Each structure stands twice: as structure tokens, then as C-alpha cells.
Amino acid sequence: MDVFFSGSIRGGRSDVDRYAALIEILEGHGDVLTEHVGVEAVEAKEQADGLTDGDIHDQDLAWLRQADVVVAEVTTPSLGVGYEIGRAVELDTPVCCLYRPDGDHELSAMIRGNDAVTVEEYREVAAVESVLASFLETHG
Ligand SMILES: O=c1[nH]c(=O)n([C@H]2C[C@H](O)[C@@H](COP(=O)(O)O)O2)cc1CO
């Protein structure tokens, strides 16, 4: 099963360690196409690889089209994450959004109010392991 993991990059990197932990859990269930989202120095690496914003966009859209499911960590608001969720919904790809209510930002109504998106609130990464297992079993 191919999993597209979505998490903030230019929207802010304060949750990068959580992204890495979530990606590790997801790798127990399938191939994570976007492991780079959990890498601290992702933008420096992309720059060193000579990737333009156009390359990044086109590669991510190709992975999004390939993915069987999308898992997005949405606590740190990000234009890119919101865009990827919207595109996934249009592709009829199942989307699970993970949100920590103890963060600084209220979740957008465009995510929480979207019946096509599953929203799971959590506090600790360990608490979502079973949620992710059942989401991937149902939709993978
Ligand atoms: O360098 C990048 N590499 C990359 O893969 N993305 C994708 C994957 C993330 O799920 C999402 C993050 O968007 P943003 O940078 O607007 O927070 O966009 C985004 C950027 C920078 O916008």
C-alpha cells in the first residue's frame, strides 16, 4: 500500500519530530512516498538536489496520484497540506487528518467540516497507532 504523508514544511517545522514518528508507524503498514516530510533539513536537501518549486509541486502531485491513502498531520496550519488534502479529496483518495487540540491553532472548517475527510484528535503519537492501523486496514 502506498501512503502519502502530508505535514507542514514552509508553514512551520515545530512538529517535525512528530511527523517522523508518524511516518515510522506508517512504514509498518506500507510504503510512505513522502518520507522527506519528516526530515528536519528537507529544504536544504531539496536545494542541494537542485529541485525548483515546480519540481517539488510536480513530484508531490505524482506521488499524490499514486497514493492509496493520505495521512495528514494538520495541527500546524500549512497551505501545502491544505492543498494536498483538497486534491486528494478530488481524486477520491481516502484522507485521515491527525489534529492535536492542545496546539495554537483551531482546525479549519474546510477540514473539520469536510465529510470526505476523517479527522482524528490526539495528544500523543502512541495513541494514534491503533487509529492508523484501522484506517489503513479499511482503506488500503
Ligand atoms: O519543500 C517542500 N517539499 C514538499 O514536499 N512540500 C509538500 C509536502 C508537504 O506535505 C507540504 C507542505 O507544504 P508547506 O510547505 O506549504 O507547509 O507540501 C512542500 C515543500 C515546501 O513548500
Side-chain angles (χ1 to χ4, degrees):
M1 181 191 350
D2 288 330
V3 182
F4 187 103
F5 179 82
S6 180
S8 173
I9 296 180
R10 294 190 189 164
R13 293 296 273 164
S14 53
D15 284 331
V16 66
D17 292 345
R18 283 192 186 85
Y19 303 159
L22 290 166
I23 287 166
E24 200 177 318
I25 292 170
L26 292 168
E27 279 170 340
H29 298 276
D31 292 331
V32 178
L33 304 172
T34 53
E35 278 179 306
H36 63 285
V37 174
V39 173
E40 177 104 47
V42 57
E43 289 203 271
K45 188 177 181 310
E46 287 168 342
Q47 208 177 357
D49 290 344
L51 297 181
T52 64
D53 280 4
D55 295 331
I56 291 166
H57 171 273
D58 293 352
Q59 176 64 85
D60 272 29
L61 256 289
W63 280 325
L64 197 60
R65 290 197 179 91
Q66 180 184 336
D68 299 302
V69 294
V70 171
V71 174
E73 211 300 350
V74 295
T75 309
T76 298
S78 148
L79 282 173
V81 172
Y83 174 80
E84 288 161 355
I85 292 168
R87 294 294 300 254
V89 168
E90 286 301 308
L91 289 166
D92 279 331
T93 304
V95 180
C96 178
C97 289
L98 304 174
Y99 172 69
R100 294 192 326 282
D102 53 357
D104 291 337
H105 302 277
E106 192 58 39
L107 183 58
S108 170
M110 301 309 289
I111 302 301
R112 206 199 286 281
N114 188 336
D115 289 342
V117 170
T118 301
V119 175
E120 294 287 349
E121 295 196 354
Y122 75 107
R123 284 174 198 279
E124 303 297 332
V125 167
V128 287
E129 276 193 54
S130 58
V131 167
L132 288 176
S134 87
F135 182 80
L136 297 171
E137 197 172 310
T138 307
H139 297 288

